[in-house]
Amino acid sequence: MTVPEKTEGIKCMRTYLVCENPPHYLTPVNESDIPEMVRVLNINEDIFIGTSTFDYPYPESLAFERLATVNKSREALQLNSHFAVRASPSGPLIGWASFFFTKDGTEVHPETGRPLKIALLGYWISPEHIGKGYATRSTLFMLDEFMFKEYDCDIGRAEIFSENEASRKVLLRAGMECELEGKALFIEKFNQDKAIGNQM
């Protein structure tokens, strides 16, 4: 199976150096990442438990579907917002960092009344590489370099399960503060409501 990919004219399709020591890069996710992505997502249930969308076990077919959706979004918006976290520019994927823009338009600027430009970010890091700062550095880089500098967002947000203390600590280290705590949201893969916290 192959995933159609068009990259010409799309913003943020290059390799980004996040940190020199330890080495940390963000590059656009691509089809060659699928085998490692599937391997990492099947190491244990950590990413399944901590996210609302990734299954466990995680089959290759879902990885192809996800990348196809990413490529359609890139082409439609003419920007890339899905990155592989790497320890070297061409090394294996060790995590995933992404953001997307909300479209409800219900939050407006208090002075001008214009709809606020809001982006939600998300990430996961391989269980083999947690505790090394990759999630915090990726979050800071996405906020500063993409969401605010490149796309002029008014607000950057992240939604986490309230019970996910590890992600809460990552976001606090990235300078995000709790905006809302304990909102109930139905999570389809768990078939139940989960308490959600918003960090901003």
Side-chain angles (χ1 to χ4, degrees), residues 85-145:
V85 180
R86 306 184 196 278
S88 67
S90 57
L93 169 150
I94 61 172
W96 182 297
S98 61
F99 64 92
F100 67 92
F101 301 106
T102 63
K103 299 178 180 178
D104 62 16
T106 57
E107 295 184 73
V108 298
H109 193 282
E111 295 177 2
T112 66
R114 67 170 174 81
L116 293 176
K117 192 172 185 179
I118 300 170
L120 287 173
L121 65 85
Y123 53 82
W124 54 260
I125 300 297
S126 166
E128 299 163 320
H129 293 277
I130 58 173
K132 300 177 182 179
Y134 287 109
T136 300
R137 291 191 299 271
S138 295
T139 297
L140 279 167
F141 195 88
M142 286 195 298
L143 284 168
D144 294 341
E145 297 298 322

Side-chain angles (χ1 to χ4, degrees), residues 8-81:
E8 187 176 352
I10 297 177
K11 289 183 177 181
C12 299
M13 286 298 292
R14 64 181 180 87
T15 296
Y16 295 89
L17 174 63
V18 177
C19 180
E20 291 185 348
N21 187 23
H24 180 171
Y25 296 83
L26 293 179
T27 72
V29 176
N30 60 62
E31 188 172 340
S32 67
D33 291 316
I34 285 178
E36 185 64 7
M37 176 182 174
V38 172
R39 186 193 74 82
V40 167
L41 289 169
N42 285 301
I43 290 173
N44 58 35
E45 295 186 349
D46 287 359
I47 296 168
F48 168 77
I49 292 169
T51 65
S52 62
T53 54
F54 289 93
D55 289 346
Y56 182 84
Y58 194 83
E60 184 181 72
S61 59
L62 286 183
F64 276 102
E65 286 178 18
R66 179 167 290 271
L67 188 58
T69 300
V70 166
N71 286 337
K72 287 178 183 177
S73 172
R74 286 172 177 164
E75 190 171 353
L77 300 175
Q78 289 296 288
L79 68 91
N80 171 56
S81 60

